[in-house]
Amino acid sequence: MFIIQRRDFDILISALKQRGYTVVGPAVRDNAIVYDEVNSASDFPVGWTDEQEKATYRLKRRADEALFGYSVGPQSWKRFLFPSHVKLLSVVKKGKTMEIQSDASNEKPPQYAFIGVRSCELNAIVIQDKVFMNEQFSDPTYVLRRHNAFIVAVNCTQSGGTCFCVSMNTGPRVKGKFDLALTEVVGNGVHHFVAEVGSDKGAEVMKEVPHKNADASGAGVAEKLVDATAQHMGRTMNTDGIKELLFNNIDSAHWDDVARRCLMCANCTMVCPTCFCSTVEDATDLSGDYAERWRRWDSCFTMDFGKVTGGNFRPSSKARYRQWMTHKLASWINQFGASGCVGCGRCITWCPVGIDITAEAEALRKNSVRIEAEHSTGV
Amino acid sequence: MNQTAVGEVEKLVDPMLPQLMSIRKTVWETDDTFTIQLEKADHYDAEFTFLPGQFNMLYVFGMGESALSISSDPLKPGTLAHTIHRVGTVTTALSQMKRGDVIGVRGPYGTNWPIEKANGLDVCIVAGGIGLAPLRPALYSLFRRRRDYGRILLLYGARSPLDLLYRVELEQWSKLYDVEVLVTVDRSDSTWKGYIGVVPSLFMYIKLDARATIAMVCGPEVMMQYTIAEILRRGIPPEQIYLSMERNMNCAVGFCGHCQYGPKFICKDGPVFGYPHISHLFEKKEI
Amino acid sequence: MQKEDLTDVLRKHPFVGDLEKQYLQLLVGCAKNVHFQEGEYLCHEGEAADSFFLIRTGRVAVEIHAGHKGKRRIQTVGPGEVLGWSWLISPYRWHFDGCAVAEVRALTLDGKCLRTKCDKDHDFGYEMLKRLSHVFQSRMEATRLQLLDVYGTR
């Protein structure tokens, strides 16, 4: 463990920039904390925090000048590793034949350094690794970005109102898979970062950033901050037998109840750091001799998602909500060996009607228990 | 993943990049269904190989891709063919292609019919409509080693006599390969002397040795539901029933999420499934 | 001698094969063997439904005249199946034409004779009705499936 003083934080950024990275970190835009290119600590949300509840997100001033004194914003790192709109192919028509070029595998990919990756988000990245680098196929767009990425993780020292990483076993303490991990300690006249090195790349960068070794008490303060965060989760999710809960309740009346509230706006899937669905679009130029294939984010909430020629496999709102939640909390486990939910709470915060996945899971459970009880007593 | 320095990733194979093939021949099977035979149109030497039941993504310049099952003989090199129902923009464009026109082909993808497992058993193949197309490679494979199997039954249903695929072949199969072919249609005029009725009703006219029969089913989902109910009623164990499922297949490599069926990706875990793997979802709505 | 033969034939037909002996005897009294060449009609729409058929071999197409669209074949009935239930339902008239599309051997049962026996012995009548209900049900299910036009694209 090392200690980096706040005044030396910019040196970390410039060390990364010198290595050719595009440095991305938190920044305030349109009254929200988003991830964007940053050049120095002054681009960070200095002294800002966020207040989150279902369908509620507000920025507030903090009493201090913390750089990471917020939980998570509407965006996640997936927009950098899995861009929302990407060109896959360029095709040139040549008489009866054509030439197809893979733009995805031939591009010079951006080399990102991410500063401020939370534990839930790091878990989300590891989950998307399994999607885009599956046992059979790898997605070049993702692989090229992911392979090059430098990750500066940050331990959460405060919990958001919709957070439940403790329930999902994905935080708040970052574990592995990072290059550097920081815990911000601010107040009582100190402002520094307790840093942990997670890779050779991270160690190389650390050489250029002034630091001293952290003594036991220095590291201990950071530990306590993270422990306290774990004690103050805004939400909890009961994950006991959750896979079976979802699979056994395909016909639950509760889905009708959610469907009556859900607007099918797809916000939850856009803000979710693990949702990975996409669709493709084909276009030609006016000459008709040049065509492109683009990939863009899609959502299982859209009407066309289950559409095939001559029909639609999932026309009802209830089936589409069920698909999302069942996939996220249950079938994901079959597909990728882990839940698709990392407990970041974004889907709760950014749902315009305040649908709360933890509350829906609980309601489903209660409903299921009630029905079982009725069956066993013969009511 | 490996921790390597910036820029050290090798050039990647893009699973979304098609190879080029040209149309050799188009044969119209019915008013709206045609078979295109393809031949390689690029410099790669490798032969296109596939297993019965697998599918390809066919790309038409500027229009897009369509997931289409392969309908040709997997053991005859250089004869790749697809039987296609003309229903959307891509399939309509494919239907208008002339000899020598070039399309993009990605594949083959997905799981295959259990030809090996059928060894020594009677094989009951049940097809509805265009569902016969992905079963034809299975039939060809069975014919290749005809003596390794017991009876081969083909129960096939279509909308009307004019909608029947492979009409000449159906007769040849029964003559040359001792296939018991039962064909039924949903409706007809008085020129049709065959069966009229839904596919499951054909089971009335056959006897199956339940424990020694393997069933392979492909057709519209509701037709498969009734068919499988009938097969189970005949005592064929669920683990001897295979079916091919359809969903919106967009990327075919498990990235896009569209073809999910409960925990399965139809594109890579299917399209051919053993019935026990999906039976818990099969009669649920809007999965 | 002929009665013995008919009992054997009835025993082999799935619709009635497992009936109790005394019921089979009741049926034998109303049954006779019939034979139709391809193209011959077993019944015509509107005619008195004074009988029904247990098909042994061959195939009968159920035809309906659809006005200007002409004759439509909507179903075939084959070996082991039953053609007709109008004999049981007032006013006892056929609602379709039945055309042999492949040479047919069948048993025909006299509807009026059977109705009388059903009225006299309600247990027998109930047994017959149960069996016919099965036929109604599977016919209806098949018709629903046909209505779905599962091979269509719209």
Side-chain angles (χ1 to χ4, degrees), chain B residues 85 87 128-129 157-159 186-190 192-199 204-205 220 222-223 226, chain C residues 14 38 59 63 71-81 101 141-142 145-146 148-153:
Chain B
H85 196 184
V87 279
R159 194 186 209 188
D186 268 359
R187 62 195 65 170
S188 167
D189 62 17
S190 53
W192 173 251
K193 311 278 188 230
Y195 295 103
I196 303 166
V198 296
V199 175
M204 182 73 198
Y205 312 124
V222 62
M223 166 262 168
Y226 282 90
Chain C
E38 185 184 321
R59 188 152 58 241
E63 292 178 352
K71 216 188 279 179
R72 285 297 164 101
R73 290 189 171 163
I74 54 161
Q75 183 202 3
T76 49
V77 178
E81 294 180 300
V101 288
E141 203 168 79
L145 206 47
Q146 276 171 303
L148 286 179
D149 190 18
V150 291
Y151 309 121
T153 52

Side-chain angles (χ1 to χ4, degrees), chain B:
Chain B
M1 83 182 295
N2 296 325
Q3 299 281 358
T4 46
V6 168
E8 267 188 31
V9 180
E10 285 171 47
K11 205 176 160 206
L12 293 157
V13 179
D14 184 355
M16 297 298 279
L17 179 67
Q19 55 175 298
L20 298 178
M21 290 204 178
S22 64
I23 311 292
R24 176 188 283 159
K25 197 175 167 191
T26 303
V27 178
W28 283 89
E29 307 283 354
T30 72
D31 272 0
D32 59 7
T33 304
F34 59 100
T35 299
I36 45 170
Q37 290 175 15
L38 300 171
E39 57 194 351
K40 295 183 72 67
D42 54 28
H43 57 281
Y44 302 114
D45 294 330
E47 191 58 56
F48 187 95
T49 58
F50 66 95
L51 297 167
Q54 290 191 301
F55 69 96
N56 279 329
M57 299 296 294
L58 302 194
Y59 169 77
V60 176
F61 175 83
M63 294 212 173
E65 280 184 325
S66 195
L68 296 159
S69 46
I70 304 170
S71 62
S72 50
D73 188 341
L75 299 166
K76 259 193 203 155
T79 62
L80 178 67
H82 290 265
T83 301
I84 301 167
H85 196 184
R86 185 192 60 199
V87 279
T89 44
V90 174
T91 51
T92 301
L94 285 168
S95 76
Q96 291 159 350
M97 297 235 150
K98 302 278 178 294
R99 183 185 167 84
D101 285 347
V102 170
I103 60 170
V105 178
R106 290 195 290 133
Y109 295 116
T111 53
N112 53 285
W113 297 110
I115 304 298
E116 292 299 316
K117 197 180 167 186
N119 243 323
L121 297 174
D122 294 346
V123 187
C124 179
I125 289 183
V126 190
I130 191 76
L132 184 56
L135 281 162
R136 192 167 70 158
L139 283 158
Y140 289 141
S141 303
L142 296 171
F143 299 159
R144 196 58 66 106
R145 289 169 37 229
R146 179 67 187 87
R147 273 174 304 174
D148 291 353
Y149 313 99
R151 293 164 70 202
I152 299 178
L153 296 106
L154 172 61
L155 278 51
Y156 170 41
R159 194 186 209 188
S160 78
L162 293 175
D163 294 305
L164 291 169
L165 302 177
Y166 317 137
R167 268 169 280 189
V168 176
E169 278 188 280
L170 287 171
E171 282 188 27
Q172 289 173 345
W173 293 343
S174 75
K175 284 194 194 115
L176 298 177
Y177 301 106
D178 191 20
V179 182
E180 298 166 51
V181 181
L182 279 78
V183 176
T184 186
V185 296
D186 268 359
R187 62 195 65 170
S188 167
D189 62 17
S190 53
T191 57
W192 173 251
K193 311 278 188 230
Y195 295 103
I196 303 166
V198 296
V199 175
S201 69
L202 291 175
F203 283 87
M204 182 73 198
Y205 312 124
I206 58 168
K207 281 209 167 58
L208 296 173
D209 179 357
R211 306 199 53 179
T213 300
I214 190 165
M216 305 181 197
V217 187
C218 185
E221 211 158 301
V222 62
M223 166 262 168
M224 293 202 288
Q225 267 176 30
Y226 282 90
T227 298
I228 287 174
E230 199 61 48
I231 292 174
L232 291 169
R233 217 170 288 147
R234 309 270 142 178
I236 296 180
E239 60 276 13
Q240 281 165 224
I241 304 172
Y242 289 80
L243 69 167
S244 181
M245 296 288 293
E246 185 206 3
R247 280 295 179 275
N248 175 0
M249 279 183 281
N250 202 308
C251 77
V253 293
F255 296 158
C256 80
H258 282 82
C259 70
Q260 285 179 84
Y261 184 67
K264 307 289 184 192
F265 288 96
I266 302 280
C267 69
K268 61 192 185 83
D269 303 323
V272 177
F273 291 97
Y275 182 61
H277 295 284
I278 54 169
S279 57
H280 60 293
L281 295 170
F282 201 53
E283 284 176 9
K284 302 288 183 193
K285 296 179 187 77
E286 296 192 63
I287 293 299

Side-chain angles (χ1 to χ4, degrees), chain C:
Chain C
M1 183 64 198
Q2 202 201 0
K3 269 196 174 175
E4 285 303 314
D5 285 351
L6 278 177
T7 312
D8 278 352
V9 175
L10 282 167
R11 280 225 179 282
K12 281 181 196 141
H13 198 280
F15 183 66
V16 290
D18 60 339
L19 273 178
E20 284 174 40
K21 203 174 173 189
Q22 79 260 30
Y23 291 160
L24 272 183
Q25 287 314 307
L26 288 177
L27 284 178
V28 168
C30 306
K32 68 174 189 225
N33 263 312
V34 283
H35 185 261
F36 298 90
Q37 297 295 337
E38 185 184 321
E40 274 191 272
Y41 279 79
L42 284 74
C43 56
H44 281 104
E45 186 178 351
E47 284 178 2
D50 47 18
S51 65
F52 74 106
F53 301 91
L54 304 182
I55 310 299
R56 297 170 59 201
T57 62
R59 188 152 58 241
V60 183
V62 172
E63 292 178 352
I64 291 183
H65 282 268
H68 66 288
K69 288 181 177 171
K71 216 188 279 179
R72 285 297 164 101
R73 290 189 171 163
I74 54 161
Q75 183 202 3
T76 49
V77 178
E81 294 180 300
V82 177
L83 181 74
W85 53 64
S86 302
W87 62 275
L88 192 66
I89 301 163
S90 166
Y92 317 118
R93 296 201 174 276
W94 288 102
H95 288 87
F96 54 81
D97 294 349
C99 178
V101 288
E103 190 177 335
V104 168
R105 283 193 303 143
L107 284 171
T108 179
L109 287 133
D110 184 315
K112 206 170 175 184
C113 161
L114 211 53
R115 275 203 308 269
T116 315
K117 288 178 178 176
C118 287
D119 283 341
K120 208 178 273 175
D121 180 347
H122 282 184
D123 286 350
F124 173 67
Y126 181 55
E127 191 57 44
M128 290 307 288
L129 201 57
K130 272 201 289 190
R131 282 157 196 258
L132 275 171
S133 302
H134 234 332
V135 178
F136 301 155
Q137 190 254 350
S138 62
R139 232 26 89 70
M140 184 133 82
E141 203 168 79
T143 306
R144 282 182 188 145
L145 206 47
Q146 276 171 303
L147 279 175
L148 286 179
D149 190 18
V150 291
Y151 309 121
T153 52
R154 257 168 280 279

